[in-house]
Amino acid sequence: MKEVIKSSDNKNFKYLKKLYNKSFRKKEGKFILEGYRLIMEACGKARFDRIFMTPYFAKTDEGEEIIRKFKDHIPVHFVTGKLLYNVADTENPQGIAAITYVPRSGANILFHNRNRGIILILDRIQDPGNMGTIIRTAVAAGIEGIICLKGSVDIYNLKVIRASMGAIFSIPILTGVSFKRLQKIRDEYPDYKLICTDLNTSKFYHEIDYQEPLMLVIGNEARGIREELLSLADIKIKIPLMGNIDSLNAAVSTAIVLYDIVVKCRHSNG
Amino acid sequence: MKEVIKSSDNKNFKYLKKLYNKSFRKKEGKFILEGYRLIMEACGKARFDRIFMTPYFAKTDEGEEIIRKFKDHIPVHFVTGKLLYNVADTENPQGIAAITYVPRSGANILFHNRNRGIILILDRIQDPGNMGTIIRTAVAAGIEGIICLKGSVDIYNLKVIRASMGAIFSIPILTGVSFKRLQKIRDEYPDYKLICTDLNTSKFYHEIDYQEPLMLVIGNEARGIREELLSLADIKIKIPLMGNIDSLNAAVSTAIVLYDIVVKCRHSNG
């Protein structure tokens, strides 16, 4: 077995540690995956940079499988549990982490077919669990892609990746999009109807006959969709609230409306 | 101001501390609410036992409001931040906690109208965030009640209460129900159709014309609905998965199916 990294001054380990910081992830265009299942999920979908594991994990069946899979292509570093557990985001870390490259994404990946498609636009979703669950739901619904406006939680945050159950690798996601850029995208694709959820409308989501192509906008957990985006809507909808509560969870709202749209547009060929 | 509790040996503080433990909550029939918003949400819905707050919180507007509201009815104890923050479940505690009584619940509260109604049955939901989000969704959908089978996460867990946004007080919930008791309930209410989600069926949820009264069953996050309950189903349904993923989050699945049922049964009079 190769040398085991024992010092937090080791340059490879320092690089991993810095990638737990959002701004360094952005600068490097890389992010971290923790755990066997997520790493296997990403195989064939993500481009890997290097892998870290504890000598203990290396001796498990999963460890041996990962070493076999990666050792001819990228560096596999061994690092003490003390160091690796200490930086890990997961509550009960397994002793395995990988650095992967952020996928290239551009509006043209999303709009591969101008005449058909459903795009989800997220306006400043803040909670990592909500963001991950929304991405997972979007993949299940088979839509074309997601646009995250500036001010949304970083989708390469490990809590998002975990809540997405690895779905983050299965759908084009455009991140850090300014409102100005969104307006430009919209002008380029005028055939897409813009659907916004809005508590102040009188139209219910289930009364609409949706037609592709369309963009569905979901707003921030507390503040909803920003006014200037709401004013661009072709259709405003709301979900009926029939009990003693004034809102739904953001991931739940997304799921209710998105699935209604998808089953209406695609007649359940799932 | 009354004496401030400074010692963890104080009997009132010890009682609060013990209620952070699930089995003690069950024995006492009480649970804890943390934070101003949740406590205000519970006012008029829950029966309060006593309140704890830090001297610092007592001097805020919220603190004064709570003291005004409760001081003539139940004991309000002052306790040092050191003690109260130390037991708190919340990451950034405000310095206010209340002990409330578990509401009385029985099957007859749920089935107040034998000819109409939607009941949600949860078969061993494990994640507190999912449980709370499901309760919030059930209240929003305006259904009659929830039955939690034995093996589900304790709904009086603070993480559940927070995720429910206080919705836990706005719907009858029957907890710790054994499978045997569920069978008995079912026999007593034979007009309720039993709907189960099942990945192995070929019927999609949105193709069904639902009629009240009915019971919708949602299963455990990883294992789904237990076999013996599935075998009682009148209708088995699944949600189409159109992308590269093999399941949806449990709260998301509940929301998609429950809202489809509710808008079909009640024609959006929300």
Side-chain angles (χ1 to χ4, degrees), chain A residues 45 133 136-137 139-142 164 167 170 204-207 239-245 247-249 251-252 255-256 259 262-263 268 270, chain B residues 45 133 136-137 139-142 164 167 170 204-207 239-245 247-249 251-252 255-256 259 262-263 268 270:
Chain A
K45 299 174 191 162
T133 305
R136 181 178 175 191
T137 307
V139 170
S164 89
S170 299
F204 290 119
Y205 78 97
H206 59 281
E207 296 167 343
I239 300 174
L241 299 172
M242 290 162 279
N244 185 12
I245 198 142
S247 71
L248 283 162
N249 166 279
V252 158
I256 291 171
Y259 258 86
V262 163
V263 299
S268 69
Chain B
K45 299 175 191 160
T133 305
R136 183 179 174 189
T137 307
V139 170
S164 87
S170 300
F204 290 118
Y205 77 98
H206 59 282
E207 296 167 343
I239 300 174
L241 298 172
M242 291 163 276
N244 185 12
I245 198 140
S247 71
L248 283 163
N249 166 278
V252 158
I256 292 171
Y259 258 86
V262 164
V263 298
S268 68

Side-chain angles (χ1 to χ4, degrees), chain A residues 113-118 191-193 211-215:
Chain A
N113 182 344
R114 275 171 176 264
N115 302 314
R116 189 174 177 279
I118 296 166
D191 44 340
Y192 280 71
K193 285 262 183 292
Q211 306 269 326
E212 293 178 85
L214 64 84
M215 302 182 197

